[in-house]
DNA sequence: CGAGGCCTTGAACGAAATCAAAGTCAGTGG
DNA sequence: CCACTGACTTTGATTTCGTTCAAGGCCTCG
């Protein structure tokens, strides 16, 4: 489902020995409808990070958002004992740094898991520009809301799914992302360790390893170290195996009033 | 830490037999610095919901944000089998509905756990207004970012903490919220069932119940049905008991390059 | 008073964590 | 070139935390 427009594969152009992208290219990257701004002149600088480098750290003053143009990263929280909690594995098209707006300080740390090329979006520049370009402003709100929805889905997954289901969904999501990026959805390399996957999924590295081996056993995937082959995507997708009886939705008796109309125009959905 | 300014305790004024709040009152509610807009004329309507009523449902067209002025709610995700996953328990000062911006459709459902009074913030109105009032716009971004940070903290908790630690943190957070609202931080009533707490924390209702009983045993709290007394807040706060050896932060060998300067000015934090 | 939610507690089970050991792989330096 | 090192991975054995299943008590509301 990639745009087939003649954007250079490595989006951006050289200038002063450095890559720059215009707003339309950034929108493409974020999978957003392009914005009609006389924007050929409005360029955003790229930056490169090497494997292991930190893009931003916790507590660092916030002024930039980042869009991944190529490469793989992780974002992590670090607790008071130095333990890492992986929050996400940003890759091409993902936005980073939104958590820094509040408090003017990044609340997470972003680390490159491979060499990366990121587009720099100076936040001030964006908001200023947004004030005169409704579309851009809407895009900003939209992207932030999208992040929020993603995190809600993550919470749902951590709260309700078994280890197997989490690993299965992780693989499916990765596969879809790779496919979006134009890589094979059937065969790819993990850029992160079992440990990092485990942290991301709320599991230990051993459980991740064992679960992958088990999927391999029953022919859902093939595993060789970091190389994953997806053999039965449908089975992976439908693998739920959630702790069953939990959390069945039902309105309490006291809620019968809800049938009545609300105090304000309110659609009677459901 | 409440503002001691003479805002009416039940913020807002009567007009046409209904409560309305101006922008300053809304900012107070959200714990944000007040905005200097000639805003006495800019009023936001309140709405009341009865226990059990839904404020918005999944898939319903989005057009409003909501700020809780009084009462207690839950927001939930519902999976394909009708299972509920509690995402949050909004109460006074909390913002709801942000997940609806993306897709123009609410992606979660909000249900009143008690009779509630909510301030309606028509999103269109806010953004239009934000375009001419930088402060308001910044506030919008700030609030959305704050939500994101909260959810990240939630992910961290679900990913890393033991059942006891989750329940302890839940109690501490509740206690602090009650205190903020001017209620006792030492003695309060839960508005939600064990089942709902369990869903929120990624535990079963039995585990929640047992953990509360255990805290009661060792004198950290007193429990009688929905009534909770906090006896040793410090012990609750420091109760971590996280699965120990997990996820210790350490840079991989390949990351030695990180010591070198980044491609862009980058603070050497840590 | 009875019914239905809700909460507690016990006992047994099971999924995932922990502990432990051996194997793989990439990079390094002799 | 090859052996050595250190990080990463796999697999096994054991333990433990939290779930599941079950039964009984409590409280509210009709």
């Amino acid at each position: 489902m990639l745009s087939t427009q003649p954007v250079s594969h490595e989006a951006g152009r050289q200038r002063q020995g450095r890559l720059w992208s215009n707003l339309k290219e950034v929108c493409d990257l974020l999978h957003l409808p392009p914005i009609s701004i006389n924007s050929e002149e409005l360029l955003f600088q790229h930056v490169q990070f090497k494997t292991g480098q930190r893009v931003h750290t916790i507590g660092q003053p916030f002024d930039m958002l980042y869009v991944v143009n190529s490469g793989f990263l992780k974002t992590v929280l670090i607790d008071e004992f130095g333990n890492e909690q992986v929050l996400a594995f940003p890759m091409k098209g993902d936005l980073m740094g939104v958590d820094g707006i509040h408090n003017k300080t990044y609340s997470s740390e972003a680390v490159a898991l491979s060499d990366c090329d990121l587009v720099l979006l100076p936040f001030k520049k964006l908001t200023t520009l947004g004030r005169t370009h409704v579309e851009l402003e809407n895009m900003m709100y939209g992207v932030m809301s999208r992040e929020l929805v993603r995190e809600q889905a993550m919470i749902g997954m951590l709260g309700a799914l078994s280890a197997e289901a989490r690993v299965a969904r992780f693989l499916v999501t990765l596969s879809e992302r790779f496919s979006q990026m134009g890589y094979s959805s059937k065969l790819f390399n993990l850029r992160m360790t079992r440990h990092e996957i485990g942290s991301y999924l709320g599991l230990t590295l051993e459980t991740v390893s064992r679960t992958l081996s088990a999927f391999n056993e029953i022919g859902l995937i093939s595993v060789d170290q970091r190389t994953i082959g997806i053999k039965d995507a449908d089975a992976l997708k439908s693998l739920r195996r959630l702790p069953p009886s939990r959390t069945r939705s039902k309105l309490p008796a006291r809620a019968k009033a809800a049938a009545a109309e609300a105090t304000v125009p309110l659609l009677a959905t459901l």
Side-chain angles (χ1 to χ4, degrees), chain A:
Chain A
M1 231 52 91
L2 275 180
S3 135
T4 56
Q5 290 170 281
V7 208
S8 68
H9 183 65
E10 295 288 344
R13 59 194 54 47
Q14 291 287 139
R15 212 181 73 179
Q16 301 168 7
R18 168 130 290 143
L19 277 170
W20 299 71
S21 286
N22 64 28
L23 191 51
K24 178 173 178 321
E25 289 160 344
V26 173
C27 287
D28 279 355
L29 216 42
L30 289 167
H31 308 291
L32 291 169
I35 285 182
S36 58
I37 287 186
N38 46 349
S39 64
E40 279 306 314
E41 285 319 303
L42 178 62
L43 291 181
F44 296 99
Q45 189 178 359
H46 289 222
V47 201
Q48 286 71 234
F49 289 90
K50 292 235 176 65
T51 303
Q53 282 187 326
R54 290 179 171 81
V55 177
H56 57 74
T57 57
I58 296 172
Q60 177 186 331
F62 164 81
D63 63 336
M64 290 280 179
L65 297 178
Y66 304 84
V67 178
V68 182
N69 182 45
S70 71
F72 298 85
L73 305 94
K74 64 174 176 180
T75 56
V76 301
L77 242 41
I78 299 185
D79 74 13
E80 64 260 63
F81 307 126
N83 295 327
E84 262 189 21
Q85 167 69 42
V86 175
L87 293 174
F89 294 114
M91 52 192 86
K92 183 174 184 175
D94 284 327
L95 182 71
M96 304 194 303
V98 180
D99 57 78
I101 298 172
H102 168 66
N103 289 339
K104 307 285 179 210
T105 268
Y106 296 99
S107 68
S108 66
E109 176 171 309
V111 183
L113 296 180
S114 72
D115 290 1
C116 290
D117 181 69
L118 309 184
V119 186
L120 288 180
L121 306 178
F123 185 62
K124 268 269 156 280
K125 194 169 168 187
L126 280 189
T127 52
T128 314
L129 217 65
R131 224 159 289 130
T132 53
H133 298 277
V134 190
E135 280 176 305
L136 177 57
E137 194 193 36
N138 286 336
M139 165 182 130
M140 300 268 294
Y141 290 127
V143 170
M144 290 180 66
S145 172
R146 186 173 71 183
E147 286 302 306
L148 216 106
V149 172
R150 273 191 203 167
E151 292 199 354
Q152 287 182 352
M154 192 70 204
I155 292 176
M157 167 157 138
L158 291 175
L161 296 191
S162 69
E164 288 177 11
R166 292 182 206 183
V167 174
R169 287 184 56 138
F170 173 71
L171 292 174
V172 169
T173 306
L174 260 193
S175 163
E176 288 169 353
R177 292 303 304 271
F178 276 111
S179 149
Q180 275 180 7
M181 293 189 295
Y183 298 134
S184 166
S185 67
K186 296 293 166 214
L187 189 67
F188 49 82
N189 273 338
L190 301 177
R191 307 307 159 95
M192 63 291 281
T193 68
R194 303 288 190 261
H195 188 177
E196 288 162 340
I197 298 172
S199 171
Y200 178 63
L201 298 177
L203 303 171
T204 59
L205 67 115
E206 293 98 329
T207 299
V208 173
S209 177
R210 269 189 253 274
T211 306
L212 289 176
S213 298
F215 286 171
N216 184 41
E217 290 290 308
I218 58 179
L220 297 188
I221 63 174
S222 63
V223 192
D224 176 42
Q225 299 289 122
R226 302 264 177 115
T227 304
I228 301 283
I230 304 288
K231 295 292 181 55
D232 189 345
D234 291 338
L236 283 177
K237 275 175 208 152
S238 59
L239 202 163
R240 287 287 179 280
R241 267 285 326 288
L242 70 179
S245 70
R246 289 261 304 284
T247 341
R248 178 121 268 143
S249 156
K250 184 167 49 171
L251 267 201
R254 69 187 187 227
K256 270 184 289 187
E261 98 289 28
T263 327
V264 93
L266 180 64
L267 293 195
T269 312
L270 252 187

